[in-house]
Amino acid sequence: MKYISVLLLAAAFVSCGEEADVEQDIQTNNEIPTTEFNTKAAGGKVMMQAFYWDVPAGGTWWNTVQGKVSSWSSAGFDAIWLPPATKAQNGGYSMGYDPFDYFDFGSYNQMGSVETRFGSLSEIQALISAAHTNNLDVIADIVVNHNSGGASQYNPFTGGNTWTDFQPASGMFTRSYYDFHPNDYHSADAGAFGGFPDLCHDKQYVQDWLYNNSNSIAKYYKNVMGFDGWRFDYVKGFEPWVVKNFKNAVGGFTVGEYWDGNAATLESWANQAEASAFDFACYYRMRDAFMGNDLTQLNGDMLLKRNSYKAVTFVANHDTDEIYNHKLLAYAYIMTHEGYPCVFYRDYEEWLDKNKMNNLIWIHNNKASGTTSYLYADNDEYVARRNGSPGLIVYINNSDSWRERWVDTNWANTVIKDYTGNSGWEPTTQADTWVKVEAPPHGYTVWSVK
């Protein structure tokens, strides 16, 4: 999360003109009967991060997203991740990461507004219903490290006043200095954030309101609101068992934001939390590869290589959109490799070529299966093979000219084609399974059986 708005320059990103000019034979989801997509729970296809920092205020965002869920489902997404949906300290201006009332989805007049920044209770209910009608799971953003908006009260554990008196209009999960650090249990947990009151997860009262009670946050969000899964914010700030207990109380796809580029650290947290984690190791390796013009960085350690079932891969999100020229190349990487890809709203809806994004999503959902063999990497070129049925060969070329390379496939005497349409070749693999493929400058091709 972030608390400072930043100017996002669309000019910093690759335009569709920087990709190959060859547009023939591009396979998109619109060309395929929807029956080819098996309905799966979140984690099987592709997730949409359905917001960005400072989306338009004024209570219109839930309606905006609702208007897109049908097309997103048709494109091959299986889940949408929403921003924190309840009332925060800054009311109608807040992006939700300064939570005050966990049960006010836009129906109480507090913190200066009735609606949240994104809309009203009825509007988010309509959005969730529309998502479910279109076979999309809805992922709630859960912020339980810190709170904001409490009134000042004398705090005997600090000897002064703290902003820890929370009396939300919903009347649910009222809080006082006993529920934050320091308190009568201990002085701190894994980490505080931004000077906000730091919630104490060791307190039974806090645990009851988070996931134990029948009307706890977890059970209310699942059973009343209809959320299907959970994205936990700033999980460095509390112990992994908090996420584990929450998930065990209600089930559902669960992913944590553990912001660390060390794959082993991510794996350790994911194992302890029994949840997925955003693959920041993959993010940083891609940044180094494409910004540093060194595709050997893609051979580096990533969560997706350690445990692909717990890796949520991404190219950009609301916190970090520093990445880099040639974003489509990064999306070509995560859409053809193991892990659960997450697409950033503005990349899909505003900044990149949607037809090419849909093509990569189709490839992910229909061709990218099985284990991965890493075949070749140098500064400019990268080749990998997915070994499933039918599997694929992905060839990324970050040089200024077309490149060709002989590669070892899993197919003997088989005609293959490039499913991106960037190459018109349809070569036949040799009896020993080798074949020559090509890729355009600052582009990619994805080869599979015809």
Side-chain angles (χ1 to χ4, degrees), residues 94-107:
S94 176
M95 284 297 296
Y97 289 96
D98 51 338
F100 173 73
D101 188 339
Y102 285 100
F103 297 88
D104 180 3
F105 288 86
S107 57

Side-chain angles (χ1 to χ4, degrees), residues 202-217:
D202 290 286
K203 284 300 196 101
Q204 187 65 49
Y205 177 80
V206 173
Q207 294 174 21
D208 288 344
W209 272 109
L210 288 185
Y211 44 77
N212 287 333
N213 292 345
S214 60
N215 60 346
S216 64
I217 291 171

Side-chain angles (χ1 to χ4, degrees), residues 72-194:
W72 289 346
S73 177
S74 296
F77 291 93
D78 65 0
I80 58 172
W81 157 27
L82 301 184
T86 55
K87 193 68 59 66
Q89 178 180 5
N90 291 321
Y93 298 99
S94 176
M95 284 297 296
Y97 289 96
D98 51 338
F100 173 73
D101 188 339
Y102 285 100
F103 297 88
D104 180 3
F105 288 86
S107 57
Y108 295 97
N109 188 359
Q110 58 182 336
M111 297 295 145
S113 68
V114 174
E115 293 190 345
T116 67
R117 183 187 189 98
F118 314 111
S120 67
L121 171 62
S122 62
E123 287 167 343
I124 190 174
Q125 289 172 327
L127 164 57
I128 293 172
S129 177
H132 289 163
T133 298
N134 286 278
N135 297 316
L136 292 171
D137 279 4
V138 183
I139 308 300
D141 203 320
I142 305 297
V143 185
V144 292
N145 176 72
H146 53 275
N147 290 170
S148 185
S152 178
Q153 62 180 174
Y154 177 74
N155 188 332
F157 302 109
T158 65
N161 277 38
T162 54
W163 302 95
T164 49
D165 183 13
F166 286 78
Q167 303 296 326
S170 68
M172 301 170 76
F173 197 17
T174 60
R175 297 162 325 267
S176 72
Y177 52 77
Y178 281 108
D179 306 310
F180 299 94
H181 297 111
N183 56 34
D184 55 339
Y185 187 87
H186 58 181
S187 61
D189 61 0
F193 183 87

Side-chain angles (χ1 to χ4, degrees), residues 408-416 427-435 449:
D408 188 13
T409 75
N410 287 325
W411 316 298
N413 302 315
T414 302
V415 178
I416 64 172
T428 301
T429 62
Q430 298 181 153
D432 63 359
T433 71
W434 283 76
V435 71
V449 296

Side-chain angles (χ1 to χ4, degrees), residues 246-361:
F246 190 107
K247 180 210 66 175
N248 286 346
V250 287
F253 178 82
T254 306
V255 58
E257 181 213 31
Y258 196 100
W259 196 321
D260 196 297
N262 185 295
T265 300
L266 296 174
E267 182 184 34
S268 176
W269 181 88
N271 287 340
Q272 292 178 69
E274 297 181 0
S276 296
F278 284 100
D279 196 346
F280 280 92
C282 174
Y283 171 83
Y284 284 118
R285 301 300 87 72
M286 291 193 299
R287 183 199 64 179
D288 295 344
F290 296 113
M291 291 185 72
N293 298 312
D294 178 11
L295 299 196
T296 65
Q297 295 294 327
L298 298 177
N299 288 333
D301 197 9
M302 306 174 187
L303 180 58
L304 72 88
K305 298 179 181 181
R306 290 170 170 261
N307 189 336
S308 63
Y309 294 101
K310 291 186 176 179
V312 176
T313 54
F314 65 101
V315 174
N317 63 29
H318 63 295
D319 278 335
T320 173
D321 201 33
E322 63 184 357
I323 230 171
Y324 31 75
N325 294 327
H326 314 307
K327 266 190 170 182
L328 273 173
L329 275 64
Y331 276 108
Y333 181 87
I334 68 170
M335 292 294 181
T336 55
H337 284 65
E338 295 171 75
Y340 181 34
C342 182
V343 172
F344 183 46
Y345 178 93
R346 301 197 83 171
D347 285 342
Y348 185 81
E349 291 291 341
E350 300 177 20
W351 290 338
L352 300 181
D353 186 319
K354 187 179 290 189
N355 288 330
K356 293 184 178 182
M357 291 291 287
N358 283 343
N359 166 245
L360 288 171
I361 294 167

